[in-house]
Amino acid sequence: MAMHNDDSSSSDTKHSDGSNDLPGFSAENLQSNMKVIYYSRTFLSIIGGVIAGILGLTGLKGFVLYFLIMALASLGLAAKARFSIHEYFDSWNRVVLDAVLGGLMSFVLFWTFAYDIVHIF
Amino acid sequence: MAEDLVLDSAIRDWVLIPLSLVMVLIGILRHFVTKLMRSSQPPDIKILKENQVVMRARNLRTCANLIPAKSFRSRRVYFSNEENGLLYVPKGQAQNPQAQMLTDPNMATDMMKKNLSMIIPQTLTFAWVNFFFSGFVAAKIPFPLTQRFRSMLQNGIDLSTVDVSYVSSRSWYFLNLFGLRGLFSLILGEENALDDTQRMMQMGGFGFDPTKSLSAEKDSLDIIQHDWALPRIEQRAESILRKLTN
């Protein structure tokens, strides 16, 4: 997807070298990588909401699906960064936790929407 | 109580979808209107200068170990010198920019305009929803909530035996309000600023940021211990070469 291409092309110019002790995160690359995470998560939460609605999941099962999708997203992002997270982000928390809660609202909205349209016709 | 109510599909067509569509369109409209209104303001030179100084100081801080000790110290003195250092702001002056920013007519009207452009569409849409779409069940949210939410979510519906999952259109409006933020950030790029808090931060940043961040930069610059990387370069080169040739 286009977003993942952005991830690799921008993170190739990422500053920090893993093998020495010189500091340095290039701030704009860090920020652009954050944006990639944010956009991927938002997009996935919308799609996940529609899927949950169409499948007719209710209650806890829907939230389980949401967290499952977020975990898969984290895994995908980590794999794309070739598992050397410290070259592209400043901490693990970013990859795993960022934008999870923000995507929750979009997920619920589209879940409600799809569920109603499909099931409560 | 746990059985599914059958809702008219006309509700689907004439309430849910139009409401979401209207909110999306209003958001897009507001985005373009704020963009148009914002372009008529030239950037403030003083703020720009201060931001650049802060960025220079920050660069110095991050690359402190890459330059010899003496040049680092001379640069640091240039920044944090008591008399004419760039980062040094005497206490008396520190208050003025803040007060000035708040009472400056341009700033004030700008802030007001931006706040209004945010509040008015929301209020109007809310009033519209309340007027037209009240008194019936609009949607069913797919997860169960406790009884306390009943008064909040089922505002127009006067039956108390209906499941809390069946909500009125007012709650659909609120759900849209929060959920469409993600959608807007995808379709409008980063410049949509639909968050109240985000906008407050941006506007507050103009008046208060320069003086506080200047002194913060000065303090962090003073703290830095200079540790020149050159003596260790040989070891670094050796380890990198070892890694490459193995």
Side-chain angles (χ1 to χ4, degrees), chain B residues 4-240:
Chain B
D4 278 343
L5 288 182
V6 175
L7 296 175
D8 196 358
S9 61
I11 298 185
R12 238 46 62 208
D13 301 338
W14 293 102
V15 174
L16 290 193
I17 297 182
L19 193 53
S20 299
L21 211 60
V22 162
M23 289 184 75
V24 169
L25 290 176
I26 285 187
I28 297 181
L29 188 70
R30 187 168 57 189
H31 166 64
F32 284 120
V33 164
T34 38
K35 223 164 39 156
L36 284 176
M37 284 200 322
R38 203 184 294 170
S39 61
S40 58
Q41 177 197 20
D44 194 2
I45 281 205
K46 194 160 179 299
I47 305 264
L48 215 59
K49 258 201 212 169
E50 280 165 354
N51 284 344
Q52 297 288 39
V53 164
V54 166
M55 276 199 307
R56 272 178 73 186
R58 206 174 295 163
N59 277 338
L60 178 63
R61 213 166 13 119
T62 36
C63 306
N65 293 335
L66 298 173
I67 48 179
K70 189 156 147 236
S71 44
F72 171 70
R73 271 199 289 274
S74 65
R75 281 180 175 81
R76 182 162 67 178
V77 159
Y78 174 65
F79 276 114
S80 43
N81 192 10
E82 297 279 305
E83 290 131 34
N84 53 3
L86 293 182
L87 291 180
Y88 186 69
V89 177
K91 288 295 184 204
Q93 260 185 24
Q95 299 305 319
N96 278 351
Q98 285 187 19
Q100 202 178 18
M101 286 305 153
L102 284 180
T103 59
D104 192 14
N106 285 342
M107 274 299 188
T109 54
D110 259 343
M111 252 164 64
M112 225 172 54
K113 254 195 275 186
K114 281 174 189 155
N115 279 341
L116 277 184
S117 83
M118 175 101 79
I119 292 180
I120 283 194
Q122 281 187 12
T123 328
L124 281 180
T125 317
F126 190 53
W128 178 64
V129 166
N130 267 344
F131 180 63
F132 280 110
F133 298 128
S134 59
F136 57 91
V137 169
K140 177 180 193 296
I141 46 182
F143 49 91
L145 289 172
T146 60
Q147 295 299 316
R148 285 170 191 254
F149 287 99
R150 185 185 286 275
S151 62
M152 190 166 73
L153 298 176
Q154 282 193 345
N155 214 292
I157 306 168
D158 292 324
L159 306 170
S160 57
T161 55
V162 175
D163 213 358
V164 190
S165 299
Y166 290 98
V167 300
S168 67
S169 29
R170 190 187 286 194
S171 46
W172 178 246
Y173 168 74
F174 280 119
L175 196 62
N176 266 317
L177 195 62
F178 293 122
L180 285 177
R181 276 191 305 198
L183 189 68
F184 282 138
S185 72
L186 277 183
I187 54 183
L188 294 177
E190 307 91 38
E191 269 251 357
N192 52 0
L194 281 176
D195 242 350
D196 265 324
T197 52
Q198 207 181 36
R199 188 166 280 181
M200 292 292 191
M201 264 171 15
Q202 271 182 10
M203 278 326 290
F206 278 118
F208 310 135
D209 234 6
T211 52
K212 262 195 232 157
S213 65
L214 284 185
S215 40
E217 280 296 326
K218 174 171 178 298
D219 289 336
S220 41
L221 205 55
D222 283 336
I223 288 179
I224 296 240
Q225 302 275 41
H226 184 252
D227 183 17
W228 200 17
L230 189 58
R232 292 191 306 263
I233 288 262
E234 293 173 336
Q235 273 99 351
R236 241 189 76 201
E238 182 202 343
S239 63
I240 293 180

Side-chain angles (χ1 to χ4, degrees), chain A residues 82-95:
Chain A
R82 289 183 282 260
F83 286 107
S84 51
I85 293 287
H86 294 288
E87 284 187 29
Y88 300 113
F89 305 103
D90 49 358
S91 79
W92 268 102
N93 289 343
R94 303 281 197 177
V95 172

Side-chain angles (χ1 to χ4, degrees), chain A residues 19-23 35 38-39 42-43 46 57-59 63 105-106 108-109 111-113 115-116 120-121, chain B residues 5 7 9 12 62 66 139-144 172 175-176 178-180 182-183 185-186 190 229 232 236 243:
Chain A
S19 65
N20 58 8
D21 33 40
L22 286 184
K35 271 191 214 150
Y38 181 66
Y39 286 153
T42 312
F43 189 65
I46 291 180
L57 299 175
T58 59
F63 286 112
M105 290 310 304
S106 307
V108 168
L109 172 68
W111 182 19
T112 310
F113 201 44
Y115 184 78
D116 282 348
I120 319 234
F121 211 72
Chain B
L5 288 182
L7 296 175
S9 61
R12 238 46 62 208
T62 36
L66 298 173
K140 177 180 193 296
I141 46 182
F143 49 91
W172 178 246
L175 196 62
N176 266 317
F178 293 122
L180 285 177
L183 189 68
S185 72
L186 277 183
E190 307 91 38
R232 292 191 306 263
R236 241 189 76 201
K243 268 198 226 161

Side-chain angles (χ1 to χ4, degrees), chain A residues 33-75:
Chain A
N33 290 346
M34 285 302 123
K35 271 191 214 150
V36 165
I37 296 184
Y38 181 66
Y39 286 153
S40 333
R41 284 245 164 87
T42 312
F43 189 65
L44 277 176
S45 58
I46 291 180
I47 301 283
V50 174
I51 290 180
I54 294 180
L55 286 179
L57 299 175
T58 59
L60 211 56
K61 284 188 281 191
F63 286 112
V64 164
L65 178 70
Y66 176 66
F67 285 113
L68 199 65
I69 290 186
M70 287 295 119
L72 281 176
S74 309
L75 210 62

